[in-house]
Amino acid sequence: MRAQPHVLVVEDDVHIAQVLAFMLERQGYVVTHVADGRTAVEHVTSQPPPDLVLLDVMLPYVDGFEIVGIIRTQAGWEQVPVIMLTAKNTERDTVRALDAGASDFIIKPFQPQELLARLRRFLKAAD
């Protein structure tokens, strides 16, 4: 039997982080939460990769665009799906996220079922 998928949530908004953790844990995912860019970089460079990363764009210290770039160069993390979350709804930001290495991009406020469907799609591809 396969272990529960592990999702790293990088989100500085406590309420959104709690909602994401609640949603994901109810679906059987193991969730690790980090609340700022500096902690996210430390996690990426020192921990084994998760099955998927949910990554906020606007974070204290280091933004999500820089973090996804670090993820893509970190040994073992290169192929981890990264779904970026942002309140910015511009084509420029979407293109920037995808060019930086994001696998997908979701606009806040997100629809919970859509977010879960996108996660399932990437996690099935990893099986």
Side-chain angles (χ1 to χ4, degrees):
M1 188 171 133
R2 188 175 188 273
Q4 295 173 296
H6 178 207
V7 178
L8 173 62
V9 174
V10 183
E11 172 60 65
D12 63 322
D13 182 301
V14 175
H15 176 70
I16 293 172
Q18 288 174 338
V19 168
L20 287 168
F22 176 76
M23 279 176 28
L24 296 169
E25 288 168 353
R26 280 191 60 201
Q27 297 296 313
Y29 300 112
V30 174
V31 176
T32 299
H33 171 245
V34 295
D36 64 65
R38 188 180 302 145
T39 307
V41 170
E42 289 171 7
H43 186 91
V44 169
T45 57
S46 68
Q47 299 298 313
D51 296 294
L52 186 137
V53 178
L54 278 177
L55 176 61
D56 189 16
V57 169
M58 293 182 285
L59 293 164
Y61 311 116
V62 182
D63 73 21
F65 298 119
E66 192 172 336
I67 294 167
V68 76
I70 292 166
I71 287 171
R72 292 297 173 233
T73 61
Q74 188 66 30
W77 288 70
E78 309 94 337
Q79 300 303 315
V80 173
V82 177
I83 300 176
M84 295 189 80
L85 301 170
T86 186
K88 293 176 149 189
N89 187 9
T90 67
E91 179 184 23
R92 182 174 164 268
D93 288 316
T94 303
V95 169
R96 187 173 171 204
L98 295 172
D99 283 348
S103 309
D104 204 350
F105 193 84
I106 297 177
I107 306 297
K108 295 179 195 173
F110 54 85
Q111 298 301 315
Q113 293 306 314
E114 177 186 356
L115 184 137
L116 290 171
R118 290 174 187 252
L119 256 73
R120 285 191 301 271
R121 180 176 62 134
F122 284 110
L123 292 171
K124 281 180 187 169
D127 278 348

